[in-house]
Amino acid sequence: MRVSSQGVTVVALLADPDAPTDIAQRMARILPDRLAEKAGPGRRFDVKVVSEPFTSGTEDPPTLMRRIMERGSKENWDIVVALTDLPLHSHGRKIVVDLSHEHGLALLSLPSLGGLRLQTRALRAVEEAVLGLAGPQATETEGLPQSQPLLGPFAGRLTPIHPGQVGKEETADLRYVVSGPRGYLRVLVGMVRANRPWRLVPGLSKALAAALATGAIATLDSTTWSLAGALSAPRLVIAMVGSVGLMIGWLIVDGELWHRSTEASPEARQRARLYNTSTVLTVGIGVLACYVGLMAVNLLWALFILNDRVFASMTQTPLHATEYLTLSWFVASVATVGGALGSGLESDEAIRAATYSKREKERRHVLQGDYSD
């Protein structure tokens, strides 16, 4: 078992900034006791969290493993587990974790764990990796150690994780990947969660201000009252879908969020589809959150400002709860279009900052040639 001179196994959680660091810090509070309990009596663990952008400039797994190995060699660490919120690929498969038993290294891609119960899944994956790496070391004739992690908490009918191909020249000696439609969906959901689409609402302040102003003015317009009352439910739905779609399309085009692969290989095209799908979902969820917020604000504004007698005289319809809801729904669609126009006042960097995680923004900067590894 890997232990330092003090009889304690020192585990370093090398985490990318932002979400991976937050996950690592929460994990570090309980991980030592959980590892000691599972490892057996007399075994102790010291867990350290190091926040560094170790994925800057590359998403190549062998390169990342070499970086982790070089970083660990500078410190008195027995095991290094690196956490990133970038999706990692190898031989057309999405990587869950790369492990090197010889060097005591693990590289965990958080999106491959999915978007639900991420903290719990990440904790279990790190536990499995550390316990496997801390076990007896294999010789060249023995092959991999029998204590290699099997990621038991995740292997199953609905979580298609299995060993993947590892190159002979790679630092890693064991790799787990996800594949197939369920694996694709799992990584996609994880990527969307890593981007944290709810940040789009406060991140686009100018677009939101334009939408709120549009909604406030439209609520006071008698023509809007008449149109809202005359529209059927299907047409209101069409107006909602159209305005949301317009906002999504405009943000992606204006912010240059669409990923264009410079490679012609099938694997590169597959990665491009994955990135673009996650972009559409991220922006879509954020825009829908804006839409619901606008509808709620418009409803409150209408309840405060509208007079039932004036409304009835202009529309020949009494002002009841149905009219309030219909008007707020229609005005939210109008305001969303106003927000789309207002988003043109935002800088491209502001749109990207509101849409992507820190690692994903750096990845896109690299693809645009802003810097190289």
Side-chain angles (χ1 to χ4, degrees):
M1 178 176 182
R2 291 175 176 267
V3 292
S4 64
S5 58
Q6 293 79 20
V8 178
T9 300
V10 180
V11 179
L13 300 181
L14 181 63
D16 266 333
D18 206 13
T21 296
D22 294 340
I23 290 174
Q25 289 174 341
R26 289 193 294 268
M27 188 185 302
R29 302 188 189 108
I30 60 175
L31 190 57
D33 292 336
R34 291 175 64 101
L35 289 172
E37 179 183 353
K38 293 186 176 183
R43 295 182 175 181
R44 293 185 296 161
F45 294 83
D46 181 21
V47 178
K48 304 178 182 295
V49 177
V50 180
S51 180
E52 291 182 5
F54 70 92
T55 58
S56 291
T58 185
E59 53 182 321
D60 178 54
T63 301
L64 294 177
M65 287 294 282
R66 287 194 296 270
R67 285 185 180 182
I68 298 166
M69 182 175 63
E70 292 169 0
R71 181 67 178 87
S73 65
K74 300 176 182 178
E75 306 287 345
N76 187 28
W77 298 335
D78 300 304
I79 295 174
V80 183
V81 180
L83 307 176
T84 181
D85 55 3
L86 275 183
L88 301 178
H89 306 262
S90 177
H91 304 287
R93 305 292 177 86
K94 289 81 177 175
I95 295 176
V96 179
V97 62
D98 269 0
L99 301 120
S100 172
H101 292 82
E102 178 183 357
H103 301 97
L105 309 175
L107 171 61
L108 178 63
S109 175
L110 295 175
S112 63
L113 299 180
L116 302 177
R117 299 185 295 114
L118 179 59
Q119 184 71 42
T120 301
R121 288 178 172 178
L123 176 61
R124 292 180 179 177
V126 171
E127 284 180 0
E128 294 281 348
V130 171
L131 292 174
L133 295 173
Q137 295 303 293
T139 64
E140 292 183 359
T141 59
E142 291 173 339
L144 292 176
Q146 293 183 356
S147 59
Q148 60 179 274
L150 297 177
L151 295 184
F154 315 107
R157 185 172 58 88
L158 297 179
T159 52
I161 296 180
H162 52 85
Q165 180 180 351
V166 181
K168 294 182 179 179
E169 303 300 323
E170 294 190 42
T171 304
D173 52 39
L174 181 63
R175 169 174 293 152
Y176 283 95
V177 298
V178 291
S179 59
R182 288 175 297 181
Y184 180 92
L185 181 61
R186 182 190 181 102
V187 174
L188 180 61
V189 173
M191 291 175 65
V192 172
R193 189 192 189 283
N195 288 333
R196 295 190 279 191
W198 51 87
R199 297 187 305 180
L200 191 68
V201 179
L204 300 178
S205 56
K206 295 177 182 177
L208 190 59
L212 289 172
T214 302
I217 295 173
T219 303
L220 300 176
D221 184 37
S222 59
T223 303
T224 305
W225 304 348
S226 300
L227 284 174
L231 290 176
S232 61
R235 289 191 174 187
L236 288 171
V237 171
I238 292 173
M240 177 183 69
V241 173
S243 62
V244 169
L246 176 63
M247 183 70 158
I248 294 172
W250 179 257
L251 287 174
I252 291 175
V253 173
D254 188 53
E256 299 180 355
L257 306 182
W258 198 254
H259 174 79
R260 293 179 176 83
S261 176
T262 57
E263 303 176 25
S265 65
E267 184 176 343
R269 290 196 296 269
Q270 183 185 44
R271 285 201 302 267
R273 286 195 297 269
L274 182 64
Y275 288 129
N276 288 329
T277 303
S278 70
T279 295
V280 172
L281 290 177
T282 298
V283 176
I285 293 172
V287 171
L288 284 174
C290 289
Y291 188 94
V292 172
L294 286 172
M295 188 172 177
V297 170
N298 291 333
L299 179 59
L300 293 175
W301 175 240
L303 289 170
F304 173 76
I305 203 69
L306 294 185
N307 179 276
D308 54 350
R309 292 184 180 179
V310 175
F311 185 91
S313 66
M314 298 298 296
T315 63
Q316 309 303 315
T317 303
L319 187 58
H320 298 311
T322 302
E323 282 67 38
Y324 277 115
L325 291 173
T326 302
L327 178 62
S328 301
W329 188 4
F330 178 64
V331 169
S333 299
V334 176
T336 300
V337 175
L341 298 176
S343 67
L345 301 175
E346 303 278 5
S347 66
D348 292 348
E349 183 58 33
I351 295 176
R352 295 190 192 101
T355 305
Y356 294 123
S357 68
K358 187 177 182 65
R359 293 302 104 215
E360 178 66 3
K361 284 182 288 183
E362 289 191 357
R363 186 190 70 80
R364 286 173 178 263
H365 280 311
V366 172
L367 292 177
Q368 292 169 3
D370 290 346
Y371 59 80
S372 60
D373 188 22

